[in-house]
Amino acid sequence: MNAKGDTAFVFPGQGSQCVGMLKALAADHAQIVETFREASEVLGYDLWDLTQNGPEEVLNRTAVTQPALLAADVGCYRAWRARNGVRPAVMAGHSLGEYAALVCAEAMDFREAVRLVARRGELMQGAVPQGEGAMAAILGLADEAVEAVCRECAQGETLAAANYNAPGQVVIAGTKAAVDRALIAARAAGARRSIVLAVSAPSHCGLMQGAAREFAETLAPVTLKAPVVPVIQNTPVAALSEPDLIREALVSQLFSPVRWVETIRLVAAWEGMSRIVECGPGKVLTGLDRRIVDLPCVSLGEPADFAAALGATGS
């Protein structure tokens, strides 16, 4: 089926996982369990069983979360296409979700992607000793105000905006001491809320530079191809077609901010665009996207939502 010129697909990343995710949808779509089986063969353990039964603390380990969400996102897309769902005009993914977008756009082999994101998770986890890094969400401040807080509170340590998720919602990352200072400063600057996130690695900041150098070595021999559907990558918020540029973007993504607001605005500006579909578990991106652009935003993670999205796209 040809690409549907009015539909974009976006793929969620870390934070959308939960024990039991996609259980109801998988009951009617064998492609999801089959995708997890394929990932399990690469990983050497039963990823579907872990996803469905936990324990939660294991699922939430970065090196496990990343392949689990990759399989969930890709499995949803395979189920969608198997039901004659339209191929979207453009794709994007939030951080880890970018790998799912590249797999679904046929730029990267799925098994290779599973191996890559498991290694990515290991490197991210090991980049900063436990307890020395942190991330926090700052709600209710403009981007510029959050950036000013980061400059003020760094005091020679690493501290930066890591995710520009929606207007008035920015995640910061850095050393724990710097993040703690920023939480106080953000509240003093008028933030509605400032919340430390339960994450095991401070992603998308300078503390990931070492992990990125090691990951570049892992990524170097991997075969990449031009996507058959444009994929807007987090860095540099552009649809790249040259494999070497895609590779460079995947490496720099580790220590660069996720510019999701810009990404979704570019998606919305795509010619003829009229809807955005979140392909994966949960509705995190659907909620963010609705705050960014005035377009219908729907998700696929539950059977009723899946069926409604099929109907909305005329599939």
Side-chain angles (χ1 to χ4, degrees), residues 228-244:
V228 299
V229 174
V231 175
I232 299 172
Q233 294 189 244
N234 296 169
T235 306
V237 191
L240 304 175
S241 58
E242 291 291 331
D244 286 346

Side-chain angles (χ1 to χ4, degrees), residues 14-15 17 56-67 69 96 117-136 171-176 196-205 207-208 211:
Q14 217 161 327
Q17 77 277 4
E56 184 178 22
E57 59 269 21
V58 175
L59 179 61
N60 287 341
R61 292 175 187 164
T62 300
V64 175
T65 304
Q66 296 202 19
L69 278 171
L96 169 70
V117 301
R119 179 58 176 157
R120 180 179 183 265
E122 290 171 356
L123 291 170
M124 291 170 67
Q125 185 69 61
V128 181
Q130 189 71 30
E132 292 188 13
M135 299 184 77
V171 173
I172 62 173
T175 63
K176 183 179 184 304
V196 175
L197 302 181
V199 297
S200 55
S203 308
H204 302 293
C205 73
L207 295 175
M208 290 294 124

Side-chain angles (χ1 to χ4, degrees), residues 127-164:
V128 181
Q130 189 71 30
E132 292 188 13
M135 299 184 77
I138 308 297
L139 308 181
L141 285 185
D143 294 353
E144 297 79 7
V146 175
E147 291 161 0
V149 164
C150 289
R151 289 192 297 270
E152 171 194 339
C153 297
Q155 299 179 17
E157 301 180 33
T158 298
L159 181 65
N163 299 346
Y164 294 91

